[in-house]
Amino acid sequence: MEPLFEPIFTPEQLAEIKAYYLPHYIRSAVSPLVTLALLAFLLGGLNRPFYQGAQALASWMGRRGAFLRTAPVSRILVRAMDRLWGEPGWGTALLFALFIDLFSKVLYAPSDVYFDYLLEHRHGMSAHTPLTYAVDTFKSWSISAVAAATMVLGLYGLARRLRNWWLVLGVPVALLMLVSAAIDPYRKRVYFDQTPLEAGPLRTRITGLMARADIAFADVTVEKTSVASKRVQAYFAGQGPTRTIVLNDVLLKEFTEDEILAAVAHEAGHVNEPQWPGRIAAACCLVGLLFVIDRLLRLAAARRWFGTTQFADIRTLPLLSVLFFLLMTTAKPVSGAFSREREREADRYALRLTGDTATFRQMLVKAARVNKMDPEPPRWVILKGMSHPPIGERVAALPGP
């Protein structure tokens, strides 16, 4: 290892970091091939049995729950779903989507348990118990199921009813994306409790720092992530009246006040980035993606792929997964490069704001040690889409004393 990294890590720490990251790098290398194989299996082998199973289960549930079509409240929901879908087959569509989602989750479960629980515990990075890990996994799976159901009803339901559905759906969702960051402070609370940072010197100093940066914020909160992880983290959530500075409780325990201010200054650099061009570009890309999906669904219907009998047949859902995978795989290196440059600029902004290079370096080094950051990851890992520059590069870029 070059002398550059010796002040950051001891040889023993470096050896542990390499041992920790090696399985992650192997997974990163093989995961695209595994995902493609899974998607091919879904399209070629499991599409028909999953669809037939969804039909059979929906029929059975329809018979057992026939009373729901006449009950005072549920009948309104059932009729609304029939109207949206254009026929009673929406139950089959929902179950088909949930079958695919559950199959993928179960297939990846052994890998997830190894990487998110066993490996993390082996290297002292996790505070999860088997119960808390299971609860968080259940929350994640539930959110994924709701998202899958929402996509089926929103995308396929509108596509079956309206010719220009991609505009009807895309424009409102794109507009919502422009302001969606306002709800960011509440998303993490699904997993972790947050409490306001108590009054005292740290809160006073953060308020003063934000006054110098001319950044308005609603509150400073402490996120209790120590129940699951031993990593340090600080970030800004929300926008406008909901903007919140979030510090996790591990950060408060491990870092000095000066180091916490340096971390907050870095995050303040992201607030000062030009936000709207990226949001507008993302919103336009969403509308464009929905148009591509419309063309793909029409092609599938015309060619009768996977036994489809009409436009927006739910059996094309795995095909959309292939499209999303290809787009994400292609876009991630580009988005990663932009993200790394934003991180470099946020470092420069923090130094201008605080004028304290020594403390900023201490903050980076301590974060690298606590979070076990690889100072010199393989180049292909960086180019594949790393969101942050390697910690060794960030420290080397700091101006001298």
Side-chain angles (χ1 to χ4, degrees):
M1 185 60 59
E2 297 179 6
L4 168 65
F5 304 120
E6 289 179 357
I8 305 178
F9 300 103
T10 66
E12 293 77 12
Q13 290 171 330
L14 283 172
E16 183 184 2
I17 287 171
K18 294 301 182 183
Y20 172 66
Y21 276 99
L22 180 60
H24 287 280
Y25 295 153
I26 294 174
R27 179 173 69 166
S28 180
V30 303
S31 62
L33 300 177
V34 173
T35 302
L36 280 176
L38 170 62
L39 292 173
F41 189 33
L42 283 172
L43 286 170
L46 295 179
N47 199 305
R48 178 176 295 180
F50 274 6
Y51 184 74
Q52 291 173 343
Q55 279 184 316
L57 182 57
S59 177
W60 178 83
M61 293 176 68
R63 293 192 300 271
R64 299 286 294 183
F67 69 92
L68 295 176
R69 290 189 169 274
T70 56
V73 176
S74 59
R75 67 182 181 184
I76 298 175
L77 176 62
V78 172
R79 289 174 182 173
M81 297 294 293
D82 288 346
R83 176 178 290 274
L84 173 65
W85 200 253
E87 59 184 8
W90 54 268
T92 296
L94 279 177
L95 289 171
F96 180 74
L98 293 177
F99 282 178
I100 291 176
D101 185 64
L102 181 60
F103 172 75
S104 301
K105 294 290 188 302
V106 171
L107 193 66
Y108 280 110
S111 172
D112 292 339
V113 170
Y114 172 75
F115 282 99
D116 299 337
Y117 185 82
L118 297 177
L119 189 64
E120 293 290 293
H121 272 277
R122 182 183 303 167
H123 292 275
M125 299 302 294
S126 176
H128 264 309
T129 66
L131 178 60
T132 59
Y133 178 76
V135 170
D136 278 359
T137 300
F138 175 76
K139 290 179 182 177
S140 177
W141 285 27
S142 299
I143 292 172
S144 176
V146 171
T150 302
M151 188 192 76
V152 166
L153 296 177
L155 192 154
Y156 279 88
L158 285 177
R160 295 163 65 90
R161 299 286 293 170
L162 302 171
R163 181 169 183 81
N164 292 322
W165 67 272
W166 56 275
L167 274 176
V168 175
L169 177 63
V171 172
V173 173
L175 293 175
L176 286 174
M177 285 176 60
L178 298 177
V179 295
S180 63
I183 65 172
D184 284 348
Y186 314 106
R187 292 175 181 170
K188 281 287 192 77
R189 297 182 186 183
V190 174
Y191 295 96
F192 303 115
D193 292 334
Q194 290 186 7
T195 57
L197 177 67
E198 62 183 15
L202 179 58
R203 177 181 275 273
T204 300
R205 294 183 68 185
I206 290 175
T207 301
L209 184 71
M210 293 301 96
R212 295 204 305 273
D214 194 26
I215 295 176
F217 64 97
D219 201 0
V220 184
T221 64
V222 179
E223 190 171 66
K224 299 178 181 179
T225 64
S226 60
V227 297
S229 172
K230 297 183 180 180
R231 289 178 170 82
V232 296
Q233 186 179 32
Y235 62 93
F236 280 65
Q239 64 185 37
T242 69
R243 181 177 292 128
T244 304
I245 303 170
V246 183
L247 314 173
N248 77 345
D249 54 348
V250 184
L251 184 79
L252 296 180
K253 178 182 177 182
E254 298 288 343
F255 280 30
T256 66
E257 283 191 7
D258 287 342
E259 291 164 351
I260 293 172
L261 286 175
V264 172
H266 169 86
E267 298 304 322
H270 293 304
V271 176
N272 279 277
E273 295 169 356
Q275 304 286 337
W276 287 105
R279 291 174 184 170
I280 293 173
C284 292
C285 286
L286 172 67
V287 176
L289 174 60
L290 291 176
F291 176 75
V292 171
I293 290 174
D294 178 77
R295 299 296 97 180
L296 187 61
L297 292 178
R298 294 189 185 281
L299 181 62
R303 301 288 179 85
R304 296 189 177 276
W305 290 344
F306 321 116
T308 56
T309 57
Q310 59 183 329
F311 173 68
D313 192 303
I314 193 60
R315 282 170 284 189
T316 59
L317 182 59
L319 188 62
L320 300 192
S321 298
V322 174
L323 175 63
F324 294 150
F325 168 76
L326 294 176
L327 289 175
M328 292 300 295
T329 302
T330 303
K332 193 172 182 180
V334 178
S335 64
F338 279 107
S339 177
R340 292 192 297 276
E341 183 53 40
R342 289 196 299 270
E343 295 298 330
R344 296 184 186 101
E345 180 53 38
D347 283 351
R348 293 188 285 266
Y349 176 90
L351 293 176
R352 293 193 299 269
L353 181 61
T354 64
D356 190 348
T357 303
T359 300
F360 192 80
R361 185 187 187 282
Q362 288 173 210
M363 181 273 294
L364 289 180
V365 170
K366 188 173 288 188
R369 290 174 178 169
V370 175
N371 291 356
K372 286 185 168 61
M373 301 178 186
D374 188 350
E376 198 176 45
R379 187 64 183 168
W380 66 267
V381 172
I382 300 172
L383 296 177
K384 190 171 182 282
M386 274 184 61
S387 61
H388 288 61
I391 193 66
E393 176 187 319
R394 293 175 67 183
V395 171
L398 297 178

